[in-house]
């Protein structure tokens, strides 16, 4: 025997009889059999003992004072420990009515008086063993039920002969069933299946029976409160020896939470969380399908790329929360403007066009129009969008006017492939923005090739930073007195995935116009400082790192902070950083320039004037600027040995620098003659192909051997 904790103990028999002699005889017999025995003389005492000692078997007389055996038995069955204890009623009344009463009271068995003494012990042992088997069965059922509850798993058995379905408790809970005795008919079960799934369930069951195959199926259960639950069911058919189906067994599991989580993941992967619109990924899939359909139907597909004009500024003024609100309003306004465009009746000849609206990035949306045969209908939609967005919008209690720019590309015509269609529309949108915004442009026929090329680059440039496509090359600068390397100029290159290595002249101006120069410039500054520090720490020559600063960067507030940050982050000593500013840059807005230059000098960096001689420099201003170096532009160096004018300009610049206490560095020195000229005229440093072209970091190291002489 096992107690509730599973520890085995001697079985306890409770003997209840008001006849003391008989009671003693029974007790003696059982004690001889090595059983633990307790006694009670009536029902009341028996009940009290029963609760306390939890016997494994009760042998109880029926006729007793205070409480008879029937009542005591019925009361014991109501107790928590009384469900599966064997209770045997010992009756002198061996009439059928008392036996029936005994069973009604919940007795396990009965014995008649007089007691058959030789059989008593055997009978008791038999009942104890049966009781234990019964308890084990109940325990394992309980374990199964707990496991099913945790796993939200239920099981059922359907017997075909009586068409009864047995359901486990958990199955009843999952399906919201209230069966009588855990049983009901299959037809009754089908009533809890969601009406839309009912047919599928019936068909699957029928098929399993016809084909003699197991099945798996997912369907919804409709609960009484109207909510639904998703059930995963697995079942198989059992056949008799003739192959005729006799029953079916199955399990059901509640997979609602899993499906909801999957649905959420799918949503996050394919939809924009802010507006609930399809994101770029899903949109691209739609476009793919649309192109395929249009190819077969010989119809047109138009892609509208919509950018909100000056959104960044609006967002900055409003704050992000209101900015988000605005984007949501724009999204719904876009949807309703297409819906209300009435292009259906007016322009479309065949089936109605459909549209998909998507949010591609922050302030960029796109619309896919399908089933279109005339281009006028596309212009019509575009015009309608522009009009609708012009109506004042109120966000966060503030009335505001916004506008957008739309680029349109069309299949067939502009391209055959999805990515290109999107990109062309993007290019056309950028063109619409460049044309002042609040307008739409068709790709290609509204644009010339150069504009397309440039805009293409601009679009790629936007992604280049995050895709890590920029690299820095370095060109040595040589001190002409010592012949040793004195510095490196960091020069940016763009490793374009399709076009290869692109030189800065081809993209710096685009970056400047689009504002991208700010993050790109910050990247250059950080990367150059980091690299210089790496070289210094590796014990290579301690030389200066020169970084070009665009005039846009210089004019934009925050340059000083950015430089300080780059120095702090990298750990580079400020005296090792030189900033190159062009002559034309520093000669604008003199007072502001002086302030910035002074602040930069206070950080400890050195300052040089790049491309010196190409712009207009006022001596008065030069005197007031805290500069260190003038970089003589390559255009003068180029012809010094042939053009006396250039030679004269260079000597003048060197003299000027000398009088201002500034150093000189000659750019673009390609020949020995040019080098010698510079040396003769006391130019301090040179930089140019004669020493080396700009090169990637790993090639620079051979120039950084401490003490090495280069010319
Ligand atoms: P820069 O600052 O005047 O840089 C010197 C340019 O002259 C570099 O061109 C360099 O490769 C080239 N060069 C140097 N020595 C010789 C030579 O002996 N012969 C010839 N023919 N050319 C020589 P690169 O790298 O194409 O850069 C062009 C311009 O792009 C730079 O002119 C600079 O204004 C700009 N740039 C380059 N990197 C950056 C950057 O990180 N930020 C900014 N804002 N501008 C940059
Ligand atoms: Mg430079
Ligand atoms: Mg230069």
């Amino acid at each position: 025997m096992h107690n509730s904790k599973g520890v085995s103990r001697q079985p306890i028999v409770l003997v209840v009889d008001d006849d003391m002699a008989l009671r003693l005889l029974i007790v003696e017999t059982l004690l001889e059999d090595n059983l633990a025995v307790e006694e009670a003389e009536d029902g009341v005492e028996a009940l009290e003992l029963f609760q306390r000692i939890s016997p494994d078997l009760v042998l109880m007389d029926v006729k007793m004072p205070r409480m008879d055996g029937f009542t005591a038995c019925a009361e014991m069955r109501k107790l928590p420990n009384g469900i599966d204890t064997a209770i045997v009623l010992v009756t002198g009344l061996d009439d059928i009515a008392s036996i029936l009463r005994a069973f009604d009271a919940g007795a396990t068995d009965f014995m008649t008086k007089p007691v058959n003494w030789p059989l008593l012990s055997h009978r008791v042992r038999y009942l104890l063993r049966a009781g234990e088997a019964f308890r084990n069965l109940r325990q394992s059922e309980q374990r199964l039920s707990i496991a099913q509850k945790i796993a939200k798993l239920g099981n059922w058995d359907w017997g075909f002969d009586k068409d009864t379905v047995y359901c486990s408790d958990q199955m009843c809970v999952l399906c919201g069933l209230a069966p009588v005795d855990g049983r009901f008919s299959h037809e009754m079960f089908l009533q809890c299946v969601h009406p839309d799934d009912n047919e599928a369930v019936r068909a699957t069951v029928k098929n399993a029976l016809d084909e003699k195959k197991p099945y798996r199926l997912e369907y919804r259960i409709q609960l009484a409160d109207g909510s639904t639950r998703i059930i995963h069911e697995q079942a198989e058919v059992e056949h008799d020896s003739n192959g005729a189906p006799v029953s079916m067994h199955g399990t059901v599991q509640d997979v609602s939470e899993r499906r909801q989580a999957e649905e959420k993941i799918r949503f996050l992967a394919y939809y924009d969380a802010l507006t609930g619109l399809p994101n770029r990924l899903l949109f691209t899939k739609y476009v793919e399908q649309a192109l395929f359909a249009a190819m077969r139907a010989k119809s047109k597909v138009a892609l509208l790329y919509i950018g909100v004009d000056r959104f960044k500024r609006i967002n900055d003024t409003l704050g992000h929360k209101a900015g988000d609100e605005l984007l949501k309003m724009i999204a719904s306004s876009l949807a309703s403007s297409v819906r209300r465009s009435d292009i259906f009746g007016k322009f479309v000849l065949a089936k109605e066009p459909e549209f998909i609206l998507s949010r591609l990035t922050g302030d960029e949306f796109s619309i896919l129009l399908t089933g279109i045969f005339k281009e006028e209908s596309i212009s019509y939609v575009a015009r309608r969008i522009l009009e609708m967005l012009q109506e004042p919008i109120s966000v966060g209690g503030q009335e505001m006017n916004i506008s957008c720019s739309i680029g349109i590309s069309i299949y067939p015509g502009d391209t055959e492939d999805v990515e290109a269609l999107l990109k062309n529309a993007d290019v056309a949108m950028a063109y619409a923005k460049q044309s002042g915004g609040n307008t739409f442009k068709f790709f290609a026929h509204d644009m010339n090739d150069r504009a397309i090329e440039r805009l293409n680059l601009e679009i790629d440039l936007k992604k280049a930073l995050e895709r890590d496509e920029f690299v820095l090359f370095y060109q040595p600068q040589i001190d002409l007195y010592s012949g040793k390397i004195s510095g490196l100029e960091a020069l940016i290159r763009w490793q374009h995935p399709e076009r290869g290595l692109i030189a800065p002249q081809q993209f710096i101006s685009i970056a400047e116009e689009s504002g991208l120069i700010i993050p790109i410039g910050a990247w250059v500054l950080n990367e150059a400082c980091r690299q210089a520090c790496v070289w210094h720490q590796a014990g290579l020559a301690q030389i200066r790192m020169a970084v070009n600063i665009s005039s846009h960067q210089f004019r934009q507030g925050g340059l000083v902070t950015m430089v300080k940050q780059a120095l702090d982050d990298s750990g580079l000593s400020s005296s090792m950083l030189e900033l190159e500013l062009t002559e034309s840059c520093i000669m604008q807005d003199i007072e502001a320039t002086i302030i910035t230059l002074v602040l930069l000098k206070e950080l400890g960096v050195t300052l040089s004037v790049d491309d010196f001689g190409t712009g207009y420099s006022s001596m008065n201003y030069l005197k007031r600027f805290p500069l260190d170096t003038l970089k003589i532009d390559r255009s003068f160096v180029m012809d010094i040995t042939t053009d006396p004018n250039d030679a004269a300009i260079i000597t003048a610049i060197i003299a000027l620098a000398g009088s201002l206490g500034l150093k000189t560095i000659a750019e673009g020195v390609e020949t020995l003659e040019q080098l010698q000229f510079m040396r003769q005229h006391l130019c301090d440093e040179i930089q140019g192909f004669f020493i080396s072209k700009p090169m990637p970091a790993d090639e620079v190291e051979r120039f950084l051997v401490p003490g090495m002489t280069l010319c």
Side-chain angles (χ1 to χ4, degrees):
M1 292 292 130
H2 293 84
N3 65 10
S4 59
K5 287 180 182 131
V7 180
S8 70
R9 61 164 169 82
Q10 205 180 11
I12 304 173
V13 182
L14 173 62
V15 179
V16 192
D17 207 313
D18 56 331
D19 178 345
M20 198 165 75
L22 186 65
R23 205 169 71 221
L24 278 176
L25 268 173
I26 298 178
V27 170
E28 280 306 312
T29 317
L30 298 180
L31 282 175
E32 267 174 37
D33 244 16
N34 229 0
L35 294 163
V37 188
E38 296 281 342
E39 314 167 39
E41 60 177 27
D42 59 35
V44 176
E45 196 188 344
L47 209 54
E48 190 266 324
L49 254 176
F50 186 91
Q51 291 187 65
R52 209 148 33 84
I53 62 169
S54 278
D56 300 288
L57 173 67
V58 181
L59 286 179
M60 183 154 58
D61 186 22
V62 169
K63 274 194 163 174
M64 290 182 295
R66 293 213 289 172
M67 186 189 282
D68 67 12
F70 296 126
T71 318
C73 175
E75 288 303 310
M76 282 171 186
R77 285 290 181 235
K78 288 183 201 155
L79 296 170
N81 56 344
I83 301 166
D84 40 38
T85 308
I87 304 177
V88 179
L89 290 183
V90 187
T91 166
L93 328 153
D94 72 345
D95 57 302
I96 294 294
S98 334
I99 293 167
L100 283 177
R101 240 187 112 187
F103 278 109
D104 282 347
T108 316
D109 203 353
F110 67 93
M111 270 185 215
T112 48
K113 287 180 189 171
V115 174
N116 183 340
W117 296 109
L119 278 185
L120 179 65
S121 309
H122 298 289
R123 188 78 187 272
V124 164
R125 290 224 163 268
Y126 180 82
L127 281 163
L128 284 172
R129 199 172 66 192
E132 181 164 20
F134 190 65
R135 253 191 310 278
N136 287 345
L137 181 68
R138 191 178 287 279
Q139 239 174 32
S140 78
E141 262 181 1
Q142 252 168 12
R143 285 191 199 114
L144 183 68
S145 167
I146 291 170
Q148 288 204 347
K149 193 168 165 211
I150 293 170
K152 295 189 174 174
L153 184 97
N155 69 304
W156 53 262
D157 296 300
W158 176 18
F160 298 147
D161 56 345
K162 293 196 186 109
D163 185 29
T164 51
V165 182
Y166 157 81
C167 286
S168 73
D169 292 351
Q170 194 53 31
M171 161 114 186
C172 295
V173 173
L174 291 183
C175 301
L177 296 166
V180 185
D181 256 354
R183 277 166 212 283
F184 48 89
S185 73
H186 188 245
E187 201 48 45
M188 277 162 74
F189 166 72
L190 283 172
Q191 280 164 18
C192 69
V193 175
H194 192 283
D196 294 350
D197 296 345
N198 210 294
E199 212 30 63
V201 175
R202 282 176 199 276
T204 309
V205 170
K206 184 176 178 311
N207 189 54
L209 289 169
D210 293 348
E211 304 279 324
K212 300 185 176 177
K213 275 188 183 157
Y215 71 84
R216 284 158 187 264
L217 181 69
E218 242 172 71
Y219 55 86
R220 283 162 300 168
I221 292 288
Q222 181 127 44
L223 299 171
D225 64 359
S227 64
T228 54
R229 197 170 263 159
I230 304 168
I231 293 289
H232 178 85
E233 183 173 76
Q234 297 190 57
E236 54 189 38
V237 187
E238 198 175 293
H239 301 91
D240 64 13
S241 51
N242 300 322
V246 285
S247 59
M248 206 176 216
H249 313 280
T251 59
V252 290
Q253 188 162 26
D254 180 1
V255 291
S256 316
E257 273 175 28
R258 201 187 305 162
R259 295 290 168 267
Q260 271 158 16
E262 282 166 4
E263 187 53 36
K264 185 142 189 230
I265 291 168
R266 210 182 71 84
F267 185 83
L268 291 175
Y270 287 115
Y271 291 86
D272 164 46
L274 179 70
T275 58
L277 292 175
N279 65 12
R280 190 181 196 105
L281 191 66
L282 183 58
F283 185 72
T284 314
K285 285 183 196 286
Y286 281 132
V287 179
E288 247 165 47
Q289 284 172 7
L291 290 193
F292 186 68
M295 197 167 67
R296 292 201 309 195
K298 301 210 176 341
S299 65
K300 281 196 169 106
V301 167
L303 206 153
L304 279 65
Y305 207 110
I306 304 152
V308 183
D309 295 334
R310 290 167 290 279
F311 181 75
K312 197 178 165 323
R313 226 175 51 205
I314 301 173
N315 204 31
D316 289 347
T317 351
L318 282 176
H320 283 276
K321 220 171 138 227
D324 282 354
E325 213 39 54
L326 178 63
L327 284 171
K328 281 203 245 177
M329 292 169 92
I330 292 173
S332 68
S333 174
L334 284 174
S336 62
S337 53
V338 186
R339 238 178 259 126
R340 285 201 255 147
S341 283
D342 193 24
I343 42 178
F344 311 111
K346 270 190 182 154
F347 298 105
V348 180
L349 305 173
K351 83 176 200 323
E352 288 190 346
E354 288 164 8
F355 79 97
I356 302 280
L357 171 63
S358 150
R359 181 171 175 228
L360 298 177
T361 57
D363 63 329
E364 290 176 346
F365 296 85
S366 59
I367 292 173
L368 174 75
L369 290 175
T370 55
I372 291 174
F373 292 82
K374 289 206 170 169
E375 278 186 24
E376 297 97 280
S377 54
I378 306 164
S379 307
Y380 182 81
V381 174
R383 217 169 291 127
R384 182 87 194 125
I385 292 173
L386 293 177
E387 277 167 22
M388 279 214 39
L389 280 186
Q390 268 173 13
E391 288 166 19
I393 296 185
S394 136
V395 182
Q398 216 176 318
E399 281 268 300
M400 58 187 345
N401 289 298
I402 59 156
S403 66
C404 68
S405 300
I406 306 175
I408 304 163
S409 63
I410 293 170
Y411 166 89
D414 293 344
T415 172
E416 313 279 284
D417 105 77
V418 179
E419 274 308 313
L421 197 69
L422 259 166
K423 174 129 183 208
N424 289 349
D426 190 358
V427 168
M429 191 269 285
Y431 188 66
K433 275 203 172 168
Q434 257 186 19
S435 318
N438 196 21
T439 184
F440 64 91
K441 297 282 179 199
F442 281 88
F443 178 76
H445 66 73
D446 279 346
M447 305 168 63
N448 63 36
D449 290 352
R450 270 198 52 204
I452 293 176
E453 173 70 11
R454 220 193 106 85
L455 291 164
N456 258 317
L457 265 189
E458 181 178 331
I459 286 161
D460 290 348
L461 199 60
K462 277 187 199 154
K463 300 174 200 144
L465 252 187
E466 65 194 59
R467 294 188 186 169
D468 206 14
E469 291 171 357
F470 293 116
V471 276
L472 286 186
F473 275 34
Y474 301 90
Q475 190 177 35
Q477 298 172 330
I478 310 300
D479 182 300
L480 282 177
Y481 302 103
S482 67
K484 290 182 184 137
I485 187 163
S486 53
L488 287 167
E489 180 176 3
L491 295 155
I492 193 168
R493 303 287 180 266
W494 178 12
Q495 187 66 57
H496 190 283
E498 286 127 38
R499 297 163 189 242
L501 206 61
I502 304 184
Q505 272 98 346
Q506 283 176 263
F507 67 88
I508 289 290
S509 62
I510 301 177
E512 285 174 335
E513 281 162 31
S514 59
L516 285 166
I517 192 68
I518 306 297
I520 295 176
W523 178 83
V524 172
L525 195 61
N526 284 310
E527 176 59 15
C529 290
R530 185 197 66 79
Q531 184 61 71
C533 219
V534 168
W535 281 326
H536 291 178
Q537 279 164 0
L540 301 169
Q542 298 276 316
I543 52 159
R544 230 173 33 221
M545 178 64 79
V547 172
N548 292 285
I549 301 293
S550 137
S551 59
H552 286 72
Q553 263 173 297
F554 191 78
R555 298 276 153 232
Q556 171 105 7
L559 176 66
V560 182
T561 323
M562 190 194 287
V563 172
K564 185 169 179 333
Q565 191 71 46
L567 289 169
D568 288 350
D569 288 351
S570 61
L572 183 72
S573 152
S574 61
S575 61
M576 289 293 158
L577 179 64
E578 179 160 280
L579 302 181
E580 295 192 4
L581 307 157
T582 62
E583 188 180 25
S584 51
C585 164
I586 54 169
M587 286 302 159
Q588 297 165 29
D589 196 358
I590 304 301
E591 297 311 318
T593 298
I594 292 176
I595 294 172
T596 311
L597 293 181
V598 167
L599 289 173
L600 286 171
K601 274 309 286 182
E602 279 175 0
L603 291 179
V605 301
T606 52
L607 301 172
S608 69
V609 184
D610 205 352
D611 307 337
F612 191 77
T614 54
Y616 167 76
S617 274
S618 153
M619 265 298 282
N620 284 339
Y621 296 153
L622 271 185
K623 269 197 280 188
R624 292 175 60 196
F625 294 155
L627 299 166
D628 299 280
T629 312
L630 297 184
K631 286 191 84 173
I632 306 166
D633 192 66
R634 189 168 68 87
S635 56
F636 305 113
V637 179
M638 230 155 44
D639 303 322
I640 34 169
T641 45
T642 49
D643 187 339
N645 274 338
D646 283 347
I649 290 172
I650 289 185
T651 42
I653 293 175
I654 296 171
L656 168 75
S659 71
L660 291 170
L662 304 177
K663 276 200 317 189
T664 45
I665 172 161
E667 286 185 321
V669 172
E670 293 184 355
T671 65
L672 183 61
E673 291 78 46
Q674 290 167 346
L675 182 146
Q676 280 165 344
F677 179 94
M678 294 303 165
R679 205 170 241 158
Q680 271 165 20
H681 291 83
L682 303 180
C683 178
D684 299 289
E685 295 183 17
I686 57 153
Q687 176 182 347
F689 293 175
F690 183 72
I691 302 295
S692 166
K693 288 194 168 183
M695 60 205 139
D698 53 351
E699 287 176 34
V700 176
E701 290 170 16
R702 65 193 162 92
F703 285 87
L704 300 180
V705 180
M708 186 168 84
T709 313
L710 289 157
C711 64

